[in-house]
Amino acid sequence: MALKGIEHLTIRAVAAEAGCTTGLVMHRFPGRRALLVHARDLLHARTRARVERLEAEAPTPRAALRAVLAQGMALTEDSSQEALVWVGFLAAAVGDEELAALHRRNNRAWRDRVARLVRESAPGLDGPEVDTAVLALTGATEGAAQLASVDPDSYSAATQEAMLDAMLDAFGLA
């Protein structure tokens, strides 16, 4: 999906990439939706493991917040590929309630994690301030990742990190 886009994610393409038959893929994934759900769950599991490691390694809640947000940006080739896959999943969810519900569930878990880190980083922020910070930080970092994945010259890693630091500073989280 990262190489050719969501429209080229087919059972046949997955079988070709895996070097197996379409029958073998269809034994595990009876259709494209099942393949998308599995891939989406796999992406979330990898992301969750990565952010849990980053949190555990961070010396402070603020460092954890920055590291967790930064890992979702398109700062490397791998994270740029993940951003392309993520936007593909989001596009697939349009008009598909099952995929949209999966997206909402995982996005809420992501926002809950960021909210916890914001509260730990700035205990003086109240509920509405935390909510605003979470939506602004997640929206800005995810948006930057999507834009950078197709326009890396305008959204370089340095530019994305400067943007993140400015957002954290604006909310007193730097």
Side-chain angles (χ1 to χ4, degrees), residues 46-156:
R46 286 180 182 171
T47 301
R48 184 174 41 256
R50 184 171 55 237
V51 298
E52 287 172 357
R53 179 183 51 77
L54 289 168
E55 273 192 65
E57 293 172 354
T60 66
R62 286 182 180 192
L65 175 62
R66 188 188 187 288
V68 164
L69 288 167
Q71 69 75 43
M73 300 176 94
L75 303 177
T76 66
E77 182 62 33
D78 286 344
S79 59
S80 186
Q81 293 291 314
E82 277 190 5
L84 285 170
V85 170
W86 188 92
V87 80
F89 285 135
L90 190 58
V94 174
D96 185 319
E97 186 50 37
E98 179 184 355
L99 293 176
L102 179 61
H103 171 77
R104 286 190 299 270
R105 184 180 75 235
N106 288 313
N107 192 46
R108 286 183 185 125
W110 173 243
R111 289 191 328 257
D112 289 346
R113 177 184 298 274
V114 173
R116 178 179 50 75
L117 290 170
V118 166
R119 284 190 300 276
E120 291 172 3
S121 297
L125 291 182
D126 67 12
E129 291 172 321
V130 170
D131 293 343
T132 299
V134 168
L135 291 175
L137 290 165
T138 57
T141 55
E142 290 177 15
Q146 304 319 304
L147 293 167
S149 68
V150 295
D151 186 5
D153 293 337
S154 295
Y155 296 89
S156 68

